Amino acid sequence: MNQMIENASPGLWALAWRRLRADRIAMGALAVVLLFLLSVLLSSTGLVAADWEDEVAVNYAPPSFVGPDPALAALARPPAPVPPNAFDPLAADLSALKAELAQKGHAAQAVKAATLPFGADKWGHDILKKTIKGGQTSIVVGLVAALVAVALGTLFGAISGFYGGKVDDLFNWFYSIFTSIPSILMILTVAAVLQTRGVLTIVLILGLTGWTGPYRLIRAEYIKHKAREYVMAADAIGASGWRRMFSHILPNVSHVALVQMSILVVGFIKAEVILSFLGFGVPVGTVSWGSMLNEAQNELILGKWWQLAAAASAMAMLVTAFSLFADALRDALDPKLK
């Protein structure tokens, strides 16, 4: 008996994990994705980049590897103390008042840095901390919106593919409407209709417009699986339609939904950047990679390129790693591969 258990064939997920471990590029991409997710977790808990709004440097402070700007370095030094005026009868009282305020900490002036590791924006905010905080917004929007889109696409595809007939025609009609309009125009149209800005609004916009891809694939899988022997056997013993849909068929097509979610995360992160860049994204006071790129377009005219480089590099690194991992995951979960 024990020998039979040891010789049992590995399941789909065990085989997929074996293939992923054998792919060095996939494991490297997974490590990069996990690093970004760790930064999101640390940023959301306040352990990292909680003080990103502090003005710790002079305006447009360059990166440390570029070196300080002589004109800006003078602003980083605190002003020299002004000697009291001997002819002013209130000079002694003002000096005593300033000394008292200094003791209480109200007159202490922090020395602003002339350079930072990745520079500062026009307000003196640390670009590195701002990039980490902006990544929290962009990545959360991508993950949650992809989860909403895949959930809707799986639900609609399961109902459409399992029941067929007029139900299938109805969902295909909605699918045709959504796919007949270019995705970016659909996103901008929904954004203009909602007339509100915020993370929740972006999630709803992307989730309600991105379900068509998962719907098409899940519908095809349900049409194929509903005629399989295990589903017909479940029908013979009296299992309800919803039980057959979500207890029997769904576990066998869940890998399709997982791959679709990993693909949509990449697209939705880029869509959030586009929305924030065009002014339909996050509100004032909330930072994201898209809002950073929106600010950077004016800074680039002045020759301040570091905010653009930081946001674009972080987004390119995450999107590339997620795309490589999604491709490897799709190949690993393909049952036709050995």
Side-chain angles (χ1 to χ4, degrees):
M1 185 65 180
N2 294 331
Q3 186 177 2
M4 293 178 60
I5 295 176
E6 292 176 358
N7 295 332
S9 300
L12 175 64
W13 298 105
L15 289 174
W17 177 240
R18 287 183 186 178
R19 296 184 184 124
L20 281 177
R21 285 190 302 175
D23 191 343
R24 294 183 178 180
I25 296 178
M27 296 307 295
L30 178 60
V32 174
V33 172
L34 292 178
L35 182 62
F36 274 93
L37 294 178
L38 178 61
S39 69
V40 171
L41 179 61
L42 296 177
S43 177
S44 60
T45 55
L47 298 177
V48 175
D51 55 346
W52 71 273
E53 291 184 288
D54 293 347
E55 299 178 6
V56 296
V58 296
N59 300 344
Y60 299 122
S64 300
F65 56 85
V66 175
D69 188 346
L72 297 177
L75 299 176
R77 295 190 294 268
V82 180
N85 189 355
F87 299 98
D88 188 357
L90 300 177
D93 296 335
L94 290 176
S95 299
L97 180 60
K98 290 180 180 180
E100 182 181 358
L101 292 176
Q103 292 178 356
K104 295 181 179 180
H106 294 287
Q109 181 177 1
V111 179
K112 295 184 177 181
T115 62
L116 289 174
F118 285 90
D121 61 4
K122 63 180 179 180
W123 308 109
H125 301 156
D126 191 344
I127 292 296
L128 179 59
K129 295 181 180 179
K130 192 174 181 180
T131 304
I132 296 175
K133 195 67 178 180
Q136 174 191 340
T137 303
S138 299
I139 295 173
V140 167
V141 166
L143 289 174
V144 178
L147 181 62
V148 172
V150 170
L152 290 177
T154 301
L155 178 62
F156 296 162
I159 297 174
S160 177
F162 186 82
Y163 288 107
K166 294 183 178 179
V167 176
D168 188 27
D169 294 338
L170 177 63
F171 280 104
N172 281 330
W173 180 68
F174 277 109
Y175 170 81
S176 301
I177 292 176
F178 275 82
T179 55
S180 63
I181 303 175
S183 58
I184 188 62
L185 293 181
M186 176 66 73
I187 291 173
L188 293 178
T189 301
V190 177
V193 170
L194 293 179
Q195 292 290 328
T196 56
R197 298 175 61 184
V199 175
L200 180 59
T201 303
I202 300 177
V203 169
L204 291 177
I205 292 172
L206 298 177
L208 294 177
T209 58
W211 58 269
T212 53
Y215 163 80
R216 177 175 56 86
L217 296 176
I218 295 296
R219 172 182 174 271
E221 291 293 325
Y222 266 79
I223 292 176
K224 179 175 64 177
H225 278 265
K226 72 178 182 179
R228 296 276 176 91
E229 289 80 2
Y230 72 95
V231 179
M232 297 175 66
D235 185 20
I237 63 176
S240 63
W242 285 89
R243 184 174 181 82
R244 279 176 284 159
M245 288 167 56
F246 298 108
S247 296
H248 295 84
I249 301 179
L250 183 59
N252 292 287
V253 302
S254 58
H255 63 281
V256 178
L258 181 61
V259 172
Q260 281 297 298
M261 182 174 177
S262 62
I263 295 174
L264 286 177
V265 168
V266 176
F268 286 165
I269 289 176
K270 294 188 289 186
E272 184 277 326
V273 170
I274 295 174
L275 285 175
S276 297
F277 182 79
L278 296 177
F280 291 98
V282 296
V284 178
T286 303
V287 63
S288 71
W289 289 339
S291 63
M292 290 178 65
L293 293 176
N294 193 9
E295 294 178 11
Q297 64 177 338
N298 298 324
E299 297 177 356
L300 193 60
I301 300 176
L302 303 175
K304 318 300 182 183
W305 49 266
W306 35 90
Q307 182 167 202
L308 174 65
S313 299
M315 184 182 68
M317 188 181 303
L318 176 63
V319 168
T320 302
F322 230 123
S323 299
L324 292 175
F325 177 70
D327 291 339
L329 181 63
R330 181 171 50 197
D331 294 340
L333 291 173
D334 190 350
K336 298 179 182 178
L337 298 178
K338 296 183 180 179

